[in-house]
Amino acid sequence: ASSMLNLNLDEQKEYDEIYTQIKEYVNESISLFVSGTYNLDSDWDKFKESLKNLQVDRYIELVQTGYDRFIGK
């Protein structure tokens, strides 16, 4: 995780697992969008839904929790 995140061990493990899956999917998808295999208009909703399925909301929650803890909130 970023040095600006203060996560406990369980949160860090979950963060790492989710991050790895999201990163791989996003990198693959960028290539497909850039190459024209995916169409920005017709495939964007599918892309966003896939991110939801990869727990992007939980990832954001973990980042926010770790950052809040880092800044002392």
Side-chain angles (χ1 to χ4, degrees), residues 1-25 54-56 58-63 66:
S2 169
S3 60
M4 293 179 57
L5 297 181
N6 185 0
L7 299 171
N8 67 38
L9 290 175
D10 289 337
E11 291 167 338
Q12 183 67 53
K13 183 178 182 212
E14 185 179 9
Y15 169 93
D16 290 343
E17 290 171 1
I18 295 171
Y19 174 78
T20 299
Q21 292 178 4
I22 289 173
K23 182 180 174 189
E24 288 174 5
Y25 177 70
L54 291 173
Q55 298 181 300
V56 73
R58 176 63 179 149
Y59 171 79
I60 293 168
E61 182 181 306
L62 287 166
V63 169

Side-chain angles (χ1 to χ4, degrees), residues 46-58:
K46 182 176 80 172
F47 172 74
K48 292 189 305 182
E49 186 62 34
S50 293
L51 286 175
K52 292 263 187 208
N53 291 338
L54 291 173
Q55 298 181 300
V56 73
D57 292 329
R58 176 63 179 149

